[in-house]
Amino acid sequence: MPDWTIARLAREGGVGVETIRYYQRRGLLATPERPQGPGRAGRIRRYGEEDARRLRFVRSAQQAGFTLAQIGALLALDATDDRARVRDLARERIAALDVQIAGLQKARAALDHLARECGNGAAGPCPILLSFEHEAETCPGPLSQ
């Protein structure tokens, strides 16, 4: 029997109440009906362990890098036996992670090179700072405006 308030569900899931409401608007979490009863206390929506399980699923999928739209698709697939589609979504996410990792490795290599240049003891401005200044001049954005 569900007996948690939205605040308790949020605490159980390690999120804020507004996050719960946002997930509800996105269709990732159910919005329980308000029970009819005397006074305001009788009209408080109640949540339970199944809601917490689903919230934990959403949070875990987010930590794995899935978008909320992809999480919605995974939740819809949870009611089916379409393991192939779930596997495809996981492979798409792995491919996206590979692209991110490659970008991070490239950035790391460039920064490592600049750090070595900065530490070589040559006179003049630091190559790291010069690099960032050059980026700011060539890339449109808040730093170059």
Side-chain angles (χ1 to χ4, degrees):
M1 175 83 175
D3 63 349
W4 299 350
T5 63
I6 193 170
R8 167 118 186 249
L9 177 63
R11 263 193 322 274
E12 293 287 329
V15 299
V17 169
E18 286 306 312
T19 300
I20 302 286
R21 291 186 177 127
Y22 179 70
Y23 291 164
Q24 289 172 330
R25 287 191 301 273
R26 296 288 307 257
L28 300 174
L29 294 176
T31 304
E33 294 294 320
R34 288 187 189 275
Q36 299 302 314
R40 288 182 57 84
R43 298 190 32 83
I44 296 174
R45 291 184 170 105
R46 297 296 176 170
Y47 301 85
E49 185 56 44
E50 181 58 27
D51 299 298
R53 184 196 69 76
R54 191 163 176 130
L55 178 57
R56 285 190 294 270
F57 177 91
V58 171
R59 300 294 293 160
S60 293
Q62 278 187 306
Q63 289 175 346
F66 286 96
T67 66
L68 292 181
Q70 291 168 326
I71 294 169
L74 289 171
L75 287 168
L77 289 167
D78 188 34
T80 71
D81 248 355
D82 194 353
R83 295 177 94 180
R85 180 65 186 128
V86 174
R87 187 177 55 248
D88 289 345
L89 285 171
R91 286 182 176 154
E92 288 173 19
R93 184 64 203 131
I94 290 168
L97 286 170
D98 287 343
V99 169
Q100 286 180 299
I101 290 168
L104 288 171
Q105 287 174 332
K106 183 178 176 183
R108 185 191 186 288
L111 190 55
D112 184 56
H113 171 75
L114 289 171
R116 277 187 269 115
E117 288 292 316
C118 186
N120 74 8
C126 174
I128 296 172
L129 300 178
L130 286 176
S131 173
F132 291 157
E133 286 177 12
H134 176 69
E135 282 293 319
E137 292 170 0
T138 59
C139 295
L143 293 177
S144 62
Q145 294 176 355

